[in-house]
């Protein structure tokens, strides 16, 4: 039921809140303790769940599209920082750590190579 609720209300947080209240009541009246615990979880995190139904404009693969709000991009950046700290085995110089992170998180991965970002023009001998 929750999976159907999740897919049915994309982009409509008002309807999601109303249906979530009904879903919580349904799970809270279950005879199984697992579903009652799930109802408590849904009730405790009701606002963040409803906020996840807000649609935002995103840009990817050269086009703009609408997608649900997510903290995935921030978690990705946090993961990169943690990985870099682990691989660095204790940077002592903050400036070096900052520069290393900016280098690792750059959008153009090849600095001196030939890419669409840095094209090379060949001229024929005439």
């Amino acid at each position: 039921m929750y999976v159907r609720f999740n897919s049915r209300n994309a982009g409509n947080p008002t309807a999601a809140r109303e249906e979530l209240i009904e879903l919580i009541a349904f799970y809270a009246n279950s005879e199984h303790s697992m579903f009652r615990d799930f109802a408590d979880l849904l009730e405790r995190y009701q606002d963040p769940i409803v906020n996840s139904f807000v649609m935002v404009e995103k840009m990817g693969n050269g086009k703009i599209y609408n997608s649900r709000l997510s903290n995935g991009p921030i978690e990705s950046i946090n993961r990169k920082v943690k990985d870099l700290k682990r691989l660095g085995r204790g940077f002592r110089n903050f400036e070096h750590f900052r520069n290393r992170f900016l280098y690792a998180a750059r959008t153009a991965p090849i600095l001196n190579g030939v890419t669409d970002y840095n094209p090379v023009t060949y001229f024929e001998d005439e």
Side-chain angles (χ1 to χ4, degrees):
M1 289 178 64
Y2 182 78
V3 173
R4 283 182 278 162
F5 153 76
N6 203 9
S7 62
R8 190 172 35 243
N9 292 301
N12 193 350
T14 306
R17 182 174 298 280
E18 293 170 5
E19 192 174 341
L20 183 61
I21 292 169
E22 295 171 9
L23 202 60
I24 291 170
F26 177 78
Y27 282 128
N29 293 327
S30 175
E31 62 184 42
H32 301 289
S33 65
M34 175 178 62
F35 291 125
R36 290 192 302 269
D37 292 343
F38 184 60
D40 291 340
L41 179 81
L42 292 177
E43 191 166 6
R44 189 169 45 244
Y45 295 104
Q46 187 172 358
D47 288 336
I49 291 170
V50 171
N51 287 338
S52 75
F53 288 95
V54 173
M55 298 294 273
V56 293
E57 213 173 65
K58 293 185 178 181
M59 185 171 185
N61 296 331
K63 56 186 170 185
I64 297 174
Y65 62 96
N66 289 332
S67 178
R68 286 175 58 178
L69 196 58
S70 172
N71 65 343
I74 296 298
E75 293 298 331
S76 172
I77 292 172
N78 289 342
R79 182 79 231 157
K80 285 179 185 176
V81 171
K82 287 181 181 182
D83 286 347
L84 185 60
K85 282 174 61 178
R86 182 178 47 81
L87 292 172
R89 294 186 176 87
F91 284 104
R92 292 189 176 137
N93 183 340
F94 177 76
E95 286 297 317
H96 179 69
F97 176 73
R98 177 187 167 276
N99 291 339
R100 179 66 179 94
F101 174 75
L102 292 174
Y103 176 76
R106 69 195 183 280
T107 56
I110 299 173
L111 294 178
N112 294 325
V114 177
T115 64
D116 293 337
Y117 178 75
N118 183 21
V120 173
T121 306
Y122 295 97
F123 297 101
E124 293 185 24
D125 294 334
E126 294 185 33

